[in-house]
Amino acid sequence: LLVSTLTFTDTVKAEALGEPCQTITWAEPPYRWDEESAAVPRPPKGVDPYLKGLVAMPNGILAGFIDNYVAFCDPYHPYAWPVEYQITTEHPIVGLGVFGQTLFVGTLGYPYLISGSDSMSMSAQKLPFPQPCVSRRSIASAGAGVLYASPDGICLASGAGVQVVTAPLFAREDWQAMNPQDIWAVVHEDVYYFWANGACWALDFAAQKLGTVGDLTGVTALERDVLTDGLFAVKGDRVHRLFAQGRRAGAWKSGVQVLPQQAPLAWVQVDGDQSPAAPLQLEWWGDGQLRHTAQITDIQPKRLPPGRWLEHEVR
């Protein structure tokens, strides 16, 4: 119509109309704007006011967050962010993670799980576990859940709830001394590698076993490449592939095993892949003193020297 036309009579029947315009609610990626400003568009407000923490979900959906709300893009349209697709949380958001079709939302209070097959049908569940996320870089997807650092330890958030998997391994005071707010991590081959106080820790979260990895100080960034099934690290100005050169030397020591009474142990057998080219060094401790040392090169039983002790350790 010409701009001079003041009125228009719509005589087109409803059945002659097409579908509503799909893009009518599409908007640019959200940002925190200054509500007191009269300018149009309103200018950004505060520090880091833009969408962050972007993660990819199934069905072409991207999710990000600002302050205490999560935003979802229109499926397969990463430039379209309808306001109707936003979900708020009770506490400020720290970071996001994805497992299956579920979005994990780590906050400064209770964690959330948001799931749905489409951006317009997302539903949020507030988990009744007061385990806030203290480090955005500690969030890592792990199969059926997401691992992250909390004030009490490393937590595994899944559809079954939140479990502190390091509870048997760290006292809360020892964990706090590791500065969990500075932890950053990655999951590779079902092991959660996290850096704390300059050391690299390796957590087998399924078996709840914990160890340390040497020669990885100074690493500043990590990336797991799915195509090559490799873990890459940035150290200085170079990129290195980790754990790709066969065997690494390691040490393991058992706890103190206390027998009902002093008794001799006659044989030792190590079930492993040791060989003459890659031997295993065995130490046997009895009542706190080193009693026997042997080099094991096969899986055959070996005789132990005589002696009776109550407490036994193997290294």
Side-chain angles (χ1 to χ4, degrees):
L1 302 176
L2 295 176
V3 69
S4 59
T5 303
L6 301 181
T7 62
F8 170 72
T9 302
D10 184 3
T11 60
V12 181
K13 295 182 179 181
E15 56 267 21
L17 298 175
E19 63 177 353
C21 181
Q22 182 183 6
T23 63
I24 194 67
T25 61
W26 288 10
E28 63 183 10
Y31 63 93
R32 186 193 318 117
W33 64 38
D34 187 357
E35 297 181 354
E36 298 180 358
S37 174
V40 179
R42 290 174 174 172
K45 178 182 178 181
V47 179
D48 197 11
Y50 300 103
L51 190 70
K52 51 184 172 288
L54 204 67
V55 294
M57 298 181 65
N59 301 326
I61 301 173
L62 297 180
F65 71 93
I66 301 176
D67 298 335
N68 69 325
Y69 71 88
V70 183
F72 298 91
C73 78
D74 191 77
Y76 300 103
H77 299 103
Y79 49 84
W81 297 78
V83 177
E84 293 81 0
Y85 296 171
Q86 296 177 4
I87 295 178
T88 59
T89 60
E90 180 181 357
H91 300 93
I93 298 171
V94 177
L96 308 176
V98 178
F99 64 98
Q101 288 191 331
T102 302
L103 177 71
F104 163 79
V105 183
T107 76
L108 293 178
Y110 293 83
Y112 284 74
L113 297 181
I114 302 177
S115 58
S117 59
D118 191 273
S119 298
M120 68 176 63
S121 60
M122 291 292 179
S123 60
Q125 175 190 5
K126 176 183 173 182
L127 298 179
F129 300 91
Q131 292 294 341
C133 178
V134 296
S135 171
R136 183 185 309 175
R137 296 184 72 191
S138 70
I139 300 175
S141 299
V146 168
L147 290 156
Y148 69 96
S150 81
D152 296 329
I154 300 298
C155 294
L156 175 62
S158 64
V162 178
Q163 176 190 5
V164 185
V165 294
T166 56
L169 306 173
F170 289 102
R172 192 180 191 279
E173 293 76 12
D174 296 334
W175 177 254
Q176 286 292 317
M178 296 177 66
N179 300 318
Q181 67 276 5
D182 297 327
I183 286 177
W184 49 286
V186 67
V187 171
H188 179 62
E189 299 291 354
D190 295 329
V191 176
Y192 182 78
Y193 296 96
F194 66 96
W195 272 253
N197 286 355
C200 175
W201 298 78
L203 172 65
D204 186 336
F205 49 89
Q208 293 187 338
K209 300 294 184 180
L210 182 68
T212 57
V213 181
D215 303 327
L216 291 182
T217 57
V219 173
T220 57
L222 290 169
E223 178 65 22
R224 183 176 68 91
D225 182 59
V226 179
L227 181 62
T228 61
D229 193 27
L231 182 62
F232 296 86
V234 175
K235 188 174 182 179
D237 59 353
R238 297 180 65 86
V239 177
H240 304 267
R241 182 168 182 172
L242 305 181
F243 317 134
Q245 296 182 354
R247 296 174 177 271
R248 292 174 60 90
W252 176 85
K253 187 175 183 180
S254 70
V256 177
Q257 307 298 317
V258 182
L259 301 181
Q261 59 185 4
Q262 290 183 335
L265 298 182
W267 297 88
V268 62
Q269 181 181 13
V270 180
D271 185 11
D273 58 358
Q274 61 273 358
S275 66
L280 180 143
Q281 192 72 19
L282 178 73
E283 296 177 355
W284 174 35
W285 299 69
D287 288 349
Q289 296 185 18
L290 181 62
R291 305 295 182 178
H292 181 60
T293 300
Q295 190 175 72
I296 309 297
T297 60
D298 52 39
I299 60 173
Q300 299 301 318
K302 309 296 181 184
R303 290 289 297 183
L304 291 175
R308 294 175 178 268
W309 295 280
L310 186 66
E311 298 179 347
H312 299 267
E313 295 174 88
V314 174
R315 183 179 186 274

